[in-house]
Amino acid sequence: PYRRQRQMCIETAQVDAILSYINSHIGEPLTLAGLSAHFFMSTSYLCRIFKEATGTTINKYITAKRITLSKSLLDQGCSVSEACEACGFNDYSNYLRAFTKAVGISPKKYAQFTPDRLCLFLLLRGTVRSDHVIRFWEGTRNPLPSIETDRAFWLCDTPAR
């Protein structure tokens, strides 16, 4: 029992260091080989401890962080190509595919929507559920609009950005 607890503490510290490194270098090229070399561990061990600790793979985590950063940059008025480059995607087609898969619309369309209209659009398309919309609004300073999910009725009481 003690040996396993000690091993779990070591792995937790290693995963914390990996997460910190990824978050600090999200705009740079990040590969499994590069991460394993940086942390002096095999790729299989790296992937195993990361998945056990976070419940997701390293590549999915990196992509999700990059998409989150991209959405933030687009919200601030950056162009799609600037967001793509700043987020560390190696080419535009990968960025477009990953963004569209994660968000439900292209980065260009995303940049054209105000937050309240974006939620309505995604809700009506069935791309997101109402609980996802609520989580989306938790990170904003705007008050949460009222949602009647069965009719997709939306009270847009937030100002346009």
Side-chain angles (χ1 to χ4, degrees):
Y2 171 75
R3 188 176 192 161
R4 182 63 190 144
Q5 277 183 323
R6 185 171 175 266
Q7 182 65 26
M8 287 175 62
C9 288
I10 291 169
E11 289 175 358
T12 301
Q14 289 172 326
V15 171
D16 288 345
I18 294 165
L19 287 168
S20 178
Y21 181 84
I22 290 170
N23 293 337
S24 299
H25 297 86
I26 198 68
E28 302 169 15
L30 293 169
T31 63
L32 285 176
L35 289 170
S36 62
H38 181 81
F39 290 100
F40 305 104
M41 57 181 72
S42 71
T43 55
S44 60
Y45 178 73
L46 176 76
C47 291
R48 183 179 61 78
I49 65 169
F50 191 90
K51 175 96 181 215
E52 285 176 3
T54 64
T56 189
T57 67
I58 290 177
N59 286 331
K60 285 181 181 177
Y61 178 80
I62 291 170
T63 300
K65 289 296 285 186
R66 287 181 170 162
I67 296 299
T68 301
L69 176 60
S70 173
K71 287 167 44 178
S72 175
L73 292 171
L74 292 171
D75 288 341
Q76 295 171 24
C78 288
S79 71
V80 174
S81 58
E82 289 171 338
C84 172
E85 187 177 323
C87 295
F89 283 94
N90 55 358
D91 65 68
Y92 183 78
S93 63
N94 285 341
Y95 169 67
L96 180 64
R97 188 178 323 111
F99 191 98
T100 304
K101 181 179 178 184
V103 180
I105 57 174
S106 71
K108 185 176 180 180
K109 282 186 181 175
Y110 179 89
Q112 294 170 347
F113 281 105
T114 60
D116 53 347
R117 306 275 185 305
L118 175 64
C119 286
L120 174 61
F121 177 78
L122 294 176
L123 195 62
L124 289 173
R125 280 190 56 193
T127 306
V128 296
R129 298 188 323 256
S130 60
D131 58 327
H132 292 152
V133 174
I134 291 168
R135 271 186 261 136
F136 169 83
W137 280 96
E138 286 175 353
T140 68
R141 294 185 187 148
N142 300 325
L144 181 66
S146 301
I147 303 171
E148 186 180 299
T149 54
D150 58 330
R151 296 165 154 250
F153 178 71
W154 192 268
L155 296 176
C156 297
D157 55 359
T158 57
R161 59 176 173 178

